[in-house]
């Protein structure tokens, strides 16, 4: 054999893969995993277990799955259970309906845009949620999760710089802070990231239209600002937009000709006093035909969040508003080749969207579980705010919805220097030290972005209350000691 | 509001989405769906039901799911069933093990490359399958299905023409005929498709290394041939490579410096007399270190095929052989952002790969179900060959494995003209007529490719035997009548 060079080397790997850089959270997770293994092997540590508070995975934090959803899924996977007296009547009825709609088995492929039944029942959910604003099932595209939905949309919308129309590719407005998956998907699609800052003063990370205006104006000329990405309720911020704020954004998008890409996966988890979730779609319709007939909108939701919290099912959907009919027909091939939502995930999703009704046997349990989801988020949020407010050098804006809060951490200048010599960002240095000394993994804020010179961590509100309490006590002790050490 | 133009229009949609063209099968499926609705509405048709024989979806064809897999999944979704006496002991044991490995719930996110437990048990399956050839779990990457696996690999391997190294982008050798998803993924990745023809004479669509040689030679200069895609056992052909044929291909890949991308999803479904499945990995290792230490290989498998046939679970895996360590570490971010295998799908997959053992309560049923899978494929293959051989103008090479056969159809010249005036390919014209008159949907061959001027249809071997028999009788009557009409 001649001595040929390898095909897949670091030099030869495609530029697209090169664009994706690693997250700081990945380093933290890797270290948490090592620590867990060391403890198992009997290595002595100043803590008994590693607690991860960085992710949004409710069930991994110990949240109990929703009984109704799980019973329905068990019967769908093994229909002989329909003969059993272990399952309530409404569970059996629902499972039978689902099975009938997928040809008798969850093992079948689904249609390009999802099972027709699921599309219809997602549309029905949206109409009920939005107080009767009509929703055409044909505009519902099922996807393998909300992240996949975002990737699919970006790949439709983005012209990479250097090809296509416009001066230098498609500009996409992205909030700061923002969950890193969206920025990674944008990098991969080859779009130009146009960061807009959420207000880290005031009530809670509010969205300021003047900031959007500033970004669009300064972007024109070196790219074509075309897409505005919104995450409401917000991750990692916990902010929830008011009707007025949404109307302002819609007016701005309309006047600038921006495509609205709205990620609403935390819609079921609003707990802030006097706050309620309003969908962009509903507000858009209520602004009248001048807007509702013209503003282009794609809204994303998922089975991974809310009461269901079924992260493992990997199913979400897009609702398109004012989608160009020609693009719709073109996108069929594209979605057919790329969307691929699991059939079982679609059944999880549609079950999660339609709770049992009053009078049905599962109604009481569902209601309890659903209330407990919101009340525990709300209780945890109050605890976090109260506990962090006590700590000098930590400041948090009170979250109103979603799974997270994003406290600002004062990091002493000496740490910034020390971190630099170690090739780490200051926040990652802080998080790794906290993990090493107290066994708690919080998310390094720089994965989410922030104003220059400010440092944050991301904490979820999903831990059992008592565990969260002890995590916050550890954080207080750590932070004081850490600040002293480096002052 | 100023009159701004829309963002997402056919003109403005990204070039990547434009690259994906529709499949002829999609038109057929759409028409089948319309016919089904017409029948429901009472429209009179010359048939009572529409039968689809084009897809590889076993459970949609009526195949019963594997009891053990479904029982395990039911218990994983609703662990209270572990208390029930409806489930056998070994099912409960397996479900408990799986639950323990995913933190107690199928509702959690999985790690980047899949759950560690699943990686380990996939590796154990491969070692058993390959008679002890070692498999490192670190080389197993779980994906959201085999199609996703192929897309991920192509996106790592392909430099689009116009950028990257080499004269004009990455050349990928693709068999003809071949399942269209691969060619679509290649289009999307922006690679150069280099078709090689499988032999449509002789035993059954054999792979000829001289043909590969011809393609590589004529490609050099206008692209960089770098990847050789193999599908063994083959879809839509039904061919199964011998050890000698695999060795020849490996020697060729080694001498030309080609990356081997091997799709082996039909590995559990070999039924041809004297044929057995041999993995490329096993043959590569048995060829000795001269090859096994250097040839780069990625092999794909899935839970959608074989005895399990769990298409709806969307889970598969890649085994990398000789993956460059630097690429491995780079690919973590890439897979983390793109692979996203459902947790429930991973549990389906790993359960499918490890059958109950002799003496365990589920052993007998599993064995029955598994044998019935192979015997019904084999019986159906014999029926297809026997029935089609009787029809003048239809010729089929006897399938040896997989879910399909790919008969060649003589289409009269008048039809070719008539189809052209209607803007259809001759095979789609044929398939649509068959559907319209007999209610049977077979796959138009041109989606899979063929030598210029030859026409084919794709038939699956998954229908219940009696139904297949009546489909073949309809095909005979239709074909004779059709040929007469246009002669």
């Amino acid at each position: 054999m001649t001595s040929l060079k390898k095909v897949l080397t670091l030099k030869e790997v495609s530029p697209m893969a090169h664009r994706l850089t690693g997250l700081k959270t990945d380093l933290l997770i890797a270290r948490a995993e090592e620590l867990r293994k060391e403890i198992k092997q009997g290595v002595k540590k100043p803590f008994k277990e590693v607690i991860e508070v960085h992710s949004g995975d409710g069930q991994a934090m110990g949240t109990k799955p929703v009984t109704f959803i799980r019973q329905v899924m068990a019967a769908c996977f093994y229909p002989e259970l329909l003969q059993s007296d272990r399952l309530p009547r409404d569970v059996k009825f629902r499972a039978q309906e689902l099975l009938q709609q997928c040809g008798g088995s969850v093992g079948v492929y689904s249609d390009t845009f999802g099972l027709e039944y699921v599309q219809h029942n997602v549309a029905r959910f949206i109409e009920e949620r939005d107080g009767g604003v009509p929703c055409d099932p044909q505009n519902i595209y099922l996807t393998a999760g909300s992240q996949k939905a975002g990737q699919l949309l970006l790949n439709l919308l983005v012209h990479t710089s250097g090809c296509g129309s416009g001066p230098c590719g498609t500009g996409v407005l992205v909030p700061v802070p923002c969950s890193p998956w969206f920025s990674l998907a944008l990098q991969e699609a080859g779009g130009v990231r146009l960061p807009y800052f959420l207000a880290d003063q005031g009530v809670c990370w509010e969205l300021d239209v003047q900031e959007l205006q500033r970004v669009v104006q300064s972007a024109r000329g070196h790219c074509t600002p075309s897409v505005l990405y919104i995450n409401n309720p917000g991750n990692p911020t916990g902010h929830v937009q008011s009707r007025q704020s949404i109307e302002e954004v819609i007016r701005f998008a309309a006047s600038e000709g921006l495509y609205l890409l709205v990620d609403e996966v935390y819609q079921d988890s609003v707990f802030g006093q006097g706050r309620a979730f309003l969908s962009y779609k509903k507000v858009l319709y209520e602004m009248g035909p001048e807007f509702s007939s013209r503003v282009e909108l794609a809204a994303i939701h998922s089975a991974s969040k809310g009461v269901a919290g079924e992260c493992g099912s990997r199913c979400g959907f897009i609702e398109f508003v004012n989608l160009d009919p020609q693009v719709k027909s073109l996108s069929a091939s594209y979605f057919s080749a790329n969307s691929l939502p699991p059939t079982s995930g679609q059944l999880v999703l549609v079950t999660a969207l339609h709770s049992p009704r009053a009078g049905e046997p599962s109604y009481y349990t569902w209601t309890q579980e659903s209330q407990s989801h919101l009340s525990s988020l709300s209780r945890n949020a109050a605890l976090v705010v109260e506990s962090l407010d006590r700590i000098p050098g930590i400041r948090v804006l009170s979250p109103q919805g979603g799974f997270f809060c994003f406290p600002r951490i004062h990091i002493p200048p000496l740490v910034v220097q020390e971190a630099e010599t170690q090739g780490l960002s200051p926040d990652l240095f802080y998080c790794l030290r906290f993990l090493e000394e107290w066994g708690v993994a919080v998310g390094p804020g720089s994965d989410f972005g922030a104003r220059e010179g400010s440092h944050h961590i991301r904490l979820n509100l999903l831990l059992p209350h008592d565990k969260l309490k002890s995590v916050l006590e550890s954080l207080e002790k750590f932070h004081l000691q850490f600040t002293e050490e480096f002052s």
Side-chain angles (χ1 to χ4, degrees), chain A:
Chain A
M1 179 160 51
T2 53
S3 162
L4 283 156
K5 65 185 173 99
K6 286 180 92 166
V7 178
L8 192 55
T9 61
L10 197 60
K11 195 173 146 278
E12 289 296 328
V13 78
S14 74
M16 190 276 301
H18 263 298
R19 276 206 289 271
L20 293 183
T21 49
L23 293 177
K24 300 189 174 70
T25 306
D26 292 340
L27 295 175
L28 197 88
I29 294 173
R31 184 61 193 140
E33 196 48 40
E34 281 170 15
L35 284 172
R36 216 173 259 127
K37 282 180 183 163
E38 288 176 24
I39 291 174
K40 238 188 204 163
Q41 288 157 6
V43 181
K44 233 169 152 67
K45 293 283 162 195
F47 43 85
K48 281 193 194 124
E49 58 162 347
V50 176
I51 304 175
E52 302 197 36
V53 205
H54 56 84
S55 93
D57 186 337
Q59 296 191 22
M61 301 293 116
T63 310
K64 211 178 144 285
V66 174
T67 309
F68 183 72
I69 299 175
R70 293 310 191 85
Q71 288 176 328
V72 169
M73 288 311 296
C76 285
F77 268 97
Y78 188 50
E80 304 229 344
L81 293 172
L82 295 170
Q83 315 310 324
S84 147
D85 49 11
R86 285 203 161 245
L87 298 179
R89 190 168 33 84
D90 54 349
V91 164
K92 292 183 190 174
F93 181 79
R94 188 73 73 92
Q96 271 163 332
E97 188 170 274
L98 293 178
L99 283 169
Q100 205 184 334
Q101 297 295 334
C102 58
S105 176
V106 303
V108 300
Y109 284 123
S110 112
D111 310 301
T112 298
F113 299 124
L115 297 166
E116 204 175 303
Y117 170 86
V118 177
Q119 288 179 294
H120 270 87
N121 281 283
V122 167
R124 201 158 61 79
F125 157 79
I126 291 174
E127 288 187 350
E128 283 170 23
R129 179 196 71 190
D130 290 345
V133 174
C135 175
D136 183 347
Q138 303 263 336
N139 293 332
I140 304 298
Y141 287 28
L142 276 296
T143 65
S146 61
Q147 189 166 329
K148 189 76 221 171
Q151 291 173 334
L152 290 165
L153 287 166
L154 285 173
N155 287 337
L156 281 179
L157 286 159
V158 166
H159 290 253
T160 53
S161 29
C163 56
S165 69
C168 310
T170 304
V172 179
L173 283 87
V174 181
V176 177
C178 172
S179 183
W181 75 261
F182 188 80
S183 300
L184 285 176
L186 182 55
Q187 265 181 64
E188 201 175 328
V192 181
R193 182 168 170 271
L194 302 173
Y196 66 90
F197 291 95
L198 299 172
D200 58 358
Q201 310 282 339
V203 181
C204 178
W205 298 100
E206 282 164 324
L207 198 164
D208 178 7
V209 169
Q210 289 190 343
E211 166 69 2
L212 298 179
Q213 189 74 66
R214 179 191 68 77
V215 174
V216 167
Q217 270 167 5
S218 64
R220 287 209 202 282
H222 64 85
C223 74
T224 312
S226 304
V227 181
L228 170 53
Y229 174 66
I230 298 280
N231 181 204
N232 177 56
N235 165 18
T237 53
H239 75 277
V240 177
Q241 284 183 269
S242 65
R243 178 183 290 270
Q244 191 196 331
S245 170
I246 295 173
E247 284 178 355
E248 282 170 14
V249 171
I250 291 175
R251 258 186 227 108
F252 176 75
S255 73
E256 298 288 340
L258 297 176
Y259 194 98
L260 274 171
L261 200 170
V262 183
D263 179 345
E264 300 178 323
V265 296
Y266 295 103
Q267 59 186 266
D268 294 335
S269 308
V270 174
F271 49 80
Q273 201 86 43
R275 292 277 159 176
F277 171 73
L278 282 169
S279 76
Y280 267 72
K281 157 94 177 293
K282 178 180 165 73
V283 175
L284 176 63
Y285 270 72
E286 291 171 355
M287 287 169 75
E290 184 195 352
F291 295 93
S292 66
S293 68
R294 301 176 58 193
V295 172
E296 291 167 279
L297 167 71
I300 299 174
H301 192 23
S302 155
S304 300
K305 313 298 173 194
V307 186
E310 295 286 1
C311 299
S313 70
R314 300 239 56 100
C315 190
F317 66 83
I318 303 167
E319 181 187 12
F320 282 104
V321 178
N322 293 322
L323 177 61
D324 185 287
Q326 286 182 301
V327 173
K328 188 178 170 67
S329 106
L330 177 84
S331 65
S333 305
Y334 173 64
F335 272 78
S336 172
N338 288 287
S339 176
L340 309 170
T343 303
S344 55
Q346 292 183 57
L347 302 191
V348 167
L349 174 79
V350 78
T351 308
L353 296 180
H354 291 283
S355 59
R357 284 159 200 260
E360 289 179 347
S362 303
Y363 178 73
Y364 178 74
T365 309
W366 177 292
T367 310
Q368 293 283 95
E369 289 168 344
S370 167
Q371 283 168 356
S372 137
H373 169 73
L374 278 182
S375 65
S376 93
L377 283 174
S378 165
R379 232 177 123 213
N380 281 349
L383 174 66
V384 166
V385 172
E386 185 201 312
S387 309
L388 297 186
D389 269 352
R390 272 205 312 264
I391 312 178
I394 300 190
R395 195 171 55 77
V396 66
L397 299 176
S398 182
Q400 304 157 338
F403 286 3
F404 302 100
C405 64
F406 200 57
R408 179 167 178 177
I409 308 283
H410 173 73
I411 294 189
L414 267 181
V415 174
V416 178
Q417 282 171 32
E418 175 62 25
E420 202 175 312
T421 61
Q422 296 187 25
L424 300 171
S425 65
D427 59 325
L428 179 59
F429 182 89
Y430 181 94
C431 293
L432 283 171
R433 278 288 292 268
F434 186 31
L435 174 62
E436 218 61 52
E437 292 171 17
W438 293 85
V440 178
V442 296
S446 51
D447 277 349
F448 304 85
R451 284 186 193 278
E452 184 71 30
S454 75
H455 307 290
H456 297 78
I457 55 174
R458 185 175 79 157
L459 282 177
N460 72 39
L461 307 170
L462 299 166
L463 274 188
H465 195 70
D466 290 342
K467 213 166 191 174
L468 181 61
K469 205 167 181 173
S470 91
V471 160
L472 292 165
E473 285 163 7
S474 304
L475 181 60
E476 180 170 6
K477 288 178 198 153
F478 165 74
H479 185 78
L480 295 175
Q481 192 185 341
F482 180 85
T483 310
E484 201 179 292
E485 182 185 338
F486 287 97
S487 66

